[in-house]
Amino acid sequence: MGKLNYVVHRYAVTVLFLCPIMVSMAQEHNADSITGRIHQIPDVTISARKTPPAVMATSPLQVMDRTVLERLGTYDLSEAIKHFSGVSVKDYGGIGGLKTVSVRSMGAQHTGVIYDGVSVGDCQSGQIDISRYSLENVSEISMTIGQTDNIYRSAKAYASAGVLEIKTMRPQNDDSKPHLNANVKAGSFGLVNPSLLYMQNFSDKVGMSVYADYLQAEGAYPFKMWNGNTLIDSKRNNSDIRSWRAEANLYVNMKNEQELQFKAYMFDSERGLPGSVVYDNPYAAERLYDKNWFAQARYEKKWNKYLKLQTLGKFNHAHTRDYNEKSSGITDDRFRQTETYLSATVLANPFKGLSVSLAQDFTYNYLYTNLKNAKYPGRYTWLSVIAAKYETNRVTASASLLNTYITEKAKIGQPADDRQRLSPAIGVSWKPFPSQGLRLRLSYKDIFRTPTFNDLYYTIIGNKNLKPETTRQTNLGITWNKQMNDCRLSFISLSADAYYNMVDDKIVAVPTMFVWKMMNVGKVETIGTDVNLSAEIDITQRIRCYVAAGYNFTQAEDITDENSKTWRNQIIYTPKHYGSTNITLETPWINIIYNMIASSERYTFAQNLPSYRIEPYTDHGISLYRKFNFGKHGIKIQFDALNLSGKNYEIIRFYPMPGRNYKISINYYL
């Protein structure tokens, strides 16, 4: 008790001693000790750039938001995607040409596409033609290669080697004013492309957006190309396109943390397929008619910060007509595919840093065609995923296990056998030094792609005994970013990834005694490197420069048969070296954009002989734009000069790309 009294007495004396000092300081009210005056210290704002998600990701993630897309200066979604490293876009030439995306040489069937949270499917070919989607109403695009860290998503988002995600514009929650964006583009080869975007929140509960555009182009561009020893100097014909595209979105915020989103989409096009220029003959008469519409909905319920639910639903209808006046006769092939898709995902956060999710998807696909001996197949797909993510300031780790079960039916003949498979994936990112922006990452994913209806049932070349094409992806990478406030280089970000992929049971068309047949005979080993760099440079207080560059090395070799002539040959249409550069100079007077894409040689045949070689190419473009603001109104005018070298290079053999061409865009926004 004596010791306790001593402590209390000492504490009381200390408080009594400090009280006069604190009272004196309060009375002085921070008075200057020299002048005796009171000074007000100005507010100091400390700002720091948020660490980009791509830097913290456990697998390669590349993101372009609306600001970055504007700096690219591109009008076309496929042109923007070409600036992602490790990604190649197959472009069949011209504005109306099909455009598909492949990740790290694995093929377009291994690339999933998500549009506003819901997967896009094509059961017939397994490839998504991204030319169906406009860039004008896109707010963000991202590409994930391998394991995703976002575990609050549908099971179908886990079922691909790489995922391209597209997010469209929507009204901001705290803004009730109407927003209008009207754009008119015109350019070489008869290009005319008006578009209109309207967005508004009618209250804090309901908002909507409507987008529509029309595209027309004749596409009859001149070209020169060598076919053996013969120089072909001609014009591209049957390369025209006319398309309508429209979509409407409704956003509803309900009571008790509930949210609903509805989307209706329509695409209608007629285009000529210019075909390949072979035997000095540029003639083509194939016409492709596409009609696609879908309706999708998303519902989310948040019970608290620990538990939430997301459900998705979609019905998709696509009608394709392929009409061709060949010398051997007229063909008129018609296809109709429908898809019904349902998904539910539950996310729980049991304690700080840990998230666990469970997702269940169901899809029904059906294909009708007027081809003789058609099977009229239908497919039922169940996908189940359990995933977990643990995140701290220095460590991010995620893992998932996907179970796939597929059963099929056919109105005529025998369907393919049922399929069931488990697909694991794991990724980890570690920040070794707390005060530095350096991170190391490692990921692995075992995934496959199911044979498409064309692979299984298309006339006489289909093979219902095909096995899935499996892919094992391993990635080791490093990311680093730094914000610097004391020099002209204000921000820099760098990532480098080395990867090893193995593709087994590759599905290819193989000639048999009488006809070609789809077979599982391929095995491909891929070793590569992706490097990305972005930087911001303050040249003066009013002039800023943005630099973004990417490089990809890909050695993708056929290792099917050691005794084959194609052993250790680079697989078709895969360049060993590919890179892109974007430099944007922002000034008070005009903004200047320079873009460059370069690719090394490629081969059109499994055997890398000189006769199958496609020449390397480099594509340069420059854009100039200026914004004029008048109160709430604004106008942006942009001029583009593309493919400055004027060379008709080829991405696909015998499909020459347009030479030098020009575009102008006038954009009004409110």
Side-chain angles (χ1 to χ4, degrees):
M1 181 66 68
K3 185 175 182 180
L4 178 61
N5 290 335
Y6 170 75
V7 172
V8 172
H9 174 75
R10 184 173 180 180
Y11 177 78
V13 171
T14 304
V15 171
L16 290 173
F17 176 76
L18 291 175
C19 278
I21 300 177
M22 292 187 288
V23 172
S24 175
M25 292 175 64
Q27 291 174 343
E28 292 291 330
H29 196 66
N30 295 329
D32 191 306
S33 59
I34 298 176
T35 65
R37 297 177 179 177
I38 297 174
H39 301 277
Q40 182 177 2
I41 300 175
D43 294 336
V44 178
T45 303
I46 301 175
S47 62
R49 179 190 297 269
K50 185 179 179 180
T51 303
V55 174
M56 303 174 63
T58 62
S59 293
L61 170 65
Q62 300 169 75
V63 182
M64 294 183 188
D65 60 17
R66 192 67 192 175
T67 303
V68 175
L69 291 172
E70 186 174 78
R71 290 178 195 147
L72 278 179
T74 59
Y75 298 124
D76 190 82
L77 181 62
S78 65
E79 293 300 319
I81 294 172
K82 288 178 182 178
H83 287 268
F84 285 143
S85 65
V87 176
S88 60
V89 176
K90 277 191 175 182
D91 193 328
Y92 290 82
I95 298 172
L98 301 177
K99 297 170 178 61
T100 60
V101 180
S102 175
V103 174
R104 289 179 173 176
S105 76
M106 286 180 284
Q109 291 94 343
H110 286 278
T111 304
V113 177
I114 296 177
Y115 194 67
D116 276 342
V118 183
S119 294
V120 180
D122 188 313
C123 62
Q124 181 183 354
S125 67
Q127 305 181 88
I128 306 301
D129 179 15
I130 58 173
S131 66
R132 294 187 178 188
Y133 304 100
S134 173
L135 192 62
E136 288 300 322
N137 71 325
V138 169
S139 63
E140 180 182 286
I141 59 175
S142 62
M143 173 62 73
T144 302
I145 303 176
Q147 169 71 5
T148 177
D149 291 331
N150 179 12
I151 65 172
Y152 186 49
R153 50 175 44 196
S154 66
K156 201 171 182 179
Y158 294 83
S160 301
V163 174
L164 171 67
E165 187 162 1
I166 305 168
K167 296 180 181 179
T168 59
M169 304 280 283
R170 62 174 295 176
Q172 299 299 314
N173 292 333
D174 56 349
D175 187 359
S176 61
K177 299 177 182 178
H179 290 270
L180 191 67
N181 193 317
N183 189 287
V184 176
K185 295 190 288 287
S188 303
F189 321 125
L191 171 66
V192 178
N193 182 202
S195 65
L196 181 67
L197 172 65
Y198 165 75
M199 300 184 296
Q200 185 174 5
N201 282 324
F202 300 106
S203 67
D204 59 347
K205 301 295 184 182
V206 180
M208 72 172 296
S209 67
V210 178
Y211 174 79
D213 75 11
Y214 172 73
L215 174 65
Q216 173 181 312
E218 298 306 320
Y221 54 88
F223 70 92
K224 293 180 180 180
M225 62 176 291
W226 288 94
N227 194 347
N229 296 323
T230 304
L231 177 63
I232 304 174
D233 187 350
S234 183
K235 273 191 174 183
R236 207 75 163 110
N237 65 71
N238 199 48
S239 187
D240 61 301
I241 182 173
R242 285 164 182 81
S243 70
W244 291 91
R245 177 171 32 223
E247 67 177 75
N249 299 275
L250 180 66
Y251 310 95
V252 181
N253 293 316
M254 301 181 295
K255 295 180 179 179
N256 301 322
E257 295 291 326
Q258 298 180 86
E259 182 180 347
L260 270 173
Q261 298 177 16
F262 298 95
K263 177 188 290 288
Y265 171 93
M266 183 275 293
F267 175 77
D268 191 336
S269 77
E270 177 192 349
R271 51 183 152 180
L273 299 182
S276 58
V277 181
V278 294
Y279 303 117
D280 307 336
N281 181 17
Y283 172 78
E286 187 175 6
R287 309 292 296 177
L288 185 65
Y289 302 82
D290 281 316
K291 293 183 179 180
N292 177 216
W293 64 266
F294 65 77
Q296 67 184 45
R298 176 182 178 271
Y299 167 78
E300 183 180 60
K301 165 65 177 175
K302 297 179 181 178
W303 284 280
N304 49 51
K305 63 180 180 180
Y306 303 106
L307 186 64
K308 58 183 177 180
L309 165 72
Q310 170 187 266
T311 60
L312 306 172
K314 179 178 182 179
F315 180 78
N316 178 72
H317 179 277
H319 181 272
T320 303
R321 180 188 179 194
D322 189 346
Y323 179 85
N324 197 357
E325 295 183 2
K326 299 184 291 186
S327 58
S328 59
I330 295 176
T331 60
D332 191 358
D333 300 335
R334 305 189 184 203
F335 305 90
R336 184 180 73 245
Q337 56 175 304
T338 59
E339 178 183 83
T340 303
Y341 173 68
L342 298 171
S343 173
T345 305
V346 177
L347 178 71
N349 300 291
F351 56 83
K352 184 178 180 181
L354 179 65
S355 303
V356 180
S357 71
L358 179 64
Q360 177 67 55
D361 287 14
F362 167 76
T363 308
Y364 172 67
N365 298 102
Y366 175 73
L367 177 65
Y368 167 85
T369 177
N370 66 340
L371 295 178
K372 292 183 179 180
N373 302 316
K375 306 294 184 182
Y376 308 110
R379 173 178 292 171
Y380 300 87
T381 304
W382 286 267
L383 301 174
S384 306
V385 171
I386 183 169
K389 177 183 176 182
Y390 179 72
E391 186 174 20
T392 66
N393 291 332
R394 298 181 59 185
V395 176
T396 301
S398 63
S400 65
L401 182 63
L402 167 69
N403 178 68
T404 303
Y405 176 73
I406 298 173
T407 184
E408 298 182 2
K409 67 176 184 178
K411 287 187 176 181
I412 299 176
Q414 281 293 113
D417 293 337
D418 295 349
R419 303 176 186 88
Q420 191 274 331
R421 195 173 188 275
L422 291 174
S423 302
I426 189 170
V428 61
S429 171
W430 175 49
K431 186 178 182 181
F433 309 109
S435 60
Q436 301 295 324
L438 180 71
R439 284 181 178 265
L440 304 175
R441 63 187 178 197
L442 175 67
S443 63
Y444 171 80
K445 186 170 187 176
D446 184 333
I447 197 62
F448 69 99
R449 70 106 169 165
T450 306
T452 66
F453 281 168
N454 281 352
D455 296 332
L456 296 168
Y457 305 111
Y458 189 80
T459 60
I460 58 176
I461 72 170
N463 181 2
K464 69 180 183 63
N465 297 315
L466 288 174
K467 295 182 291 185
E469 186 176 294
T470 61
T471 301
R472 296 187 298 276
Q473 305 166 257
T474 304
N475 188 94
L476 176 63
I478 182 172
T479 66
W480 175 75
N481 76 107
K482 186 174 179 61
Q483 182 176 356
M484 293 163 280
N485 300 317
D486 54 352
C487 65
R488 296 191 184 276
L489 181 62
S490 59
F491 177 77
I492 185 170
S493 176
L494 176 68
S495 69
D497 290 274
Y499 59 89
Y500 177 82
N501 296 341
M502 180 65 73
V503 178
D504 291 314
D505 296 321
K506 193 166 183 63
I507 301 172
V508 296
V510 177
T512 61
M513 184 175 297
F514 301 105
V515 296
W516 289 74
K517 201 78 172 175
M518 304 304 296
M519 305 286 286
N520 290 107
V521 297
K523 192 171 184 179
V524 177
E525 179 188 67
T526 303
I527 300 173
T529 303
D530 291 341
V531 180
N532 290 284
L533 170 69
S534 62
E536 298 178 11
I537 306 168
D538 296 320
I539 299 175
T540 68
Q541 289 185 346
R542 303 178 67 191
I543 300 176
R544 171 169 283 197
C545 181
Y546 299 89
V547 179
Y551 167 75
N552 172 237
F553 168 77
T554 303
Q555 180 178 291
E557 297 178 337
D558 181 356
I559 59 170
T560 305
D561 183 1
E562 189 172 354
N563 299 316
S564 170
K565 292 182 179 180
T566 63
W567 172 258
R568 288 294 177 186
N569 279 215
Q570 188 85 347
I571 64 173
I572 63 172
Y573 290 116
T574 301
K576 281 196 172 182
H577 306 278
Y578 183 88
S580 65
T581 300
N582 167 255
I583 301 174
T584 302
L585 187 66
E586 292 185 350
T587 74
W589 313 281
I590 196 168
N591 298 321
I592 305 171
I593 303 171
Y594 168 74
N595 284 312
M596 185 273 291
I597 294 175
S599 173
S600 65
E601 63 184 12
R602 288 141 293 131
Y603 291 90
T604 64
F605 194 67
Q607 194 173 358
N608 296 169
L609 299 176
S611 57
Y612 304 120
R613 180 177 181 268
I614 304 179
E615 293 291 328
Y617 71 85
T618 304
D619 190 330
H620 306 267
I622 191 167
S623 304
L624 308 173
Y625 76 90
R626 173 77 187 270
K627 290 183 176 180
F628 304 90
N629 294 315
F630 311 97
K632 299 178 182 180
H633 306 267
I635 294 178
K636 175 186 174 183
I637 301 175
Q638 180 170 324
F639 174 78
D640 304 271
L642 307 174
N643 195 2
L644 295 175
S645 65
K647 186 177 180 181
N648 300 112
Y649 62 87
E650 300 165 79
I651 297 178
I652 303 297
R653 184 63 169 141
F654 301 127
Y655 286 81
M657 298 293 289
R660 188 180 301 110
N661 60 96
Y662 306 94
K663 293 179 182 178
I664 187 169
S665 170
I666 301 176
N667 178 224
Y668 165 79
Y669 51 91
L670 171 64

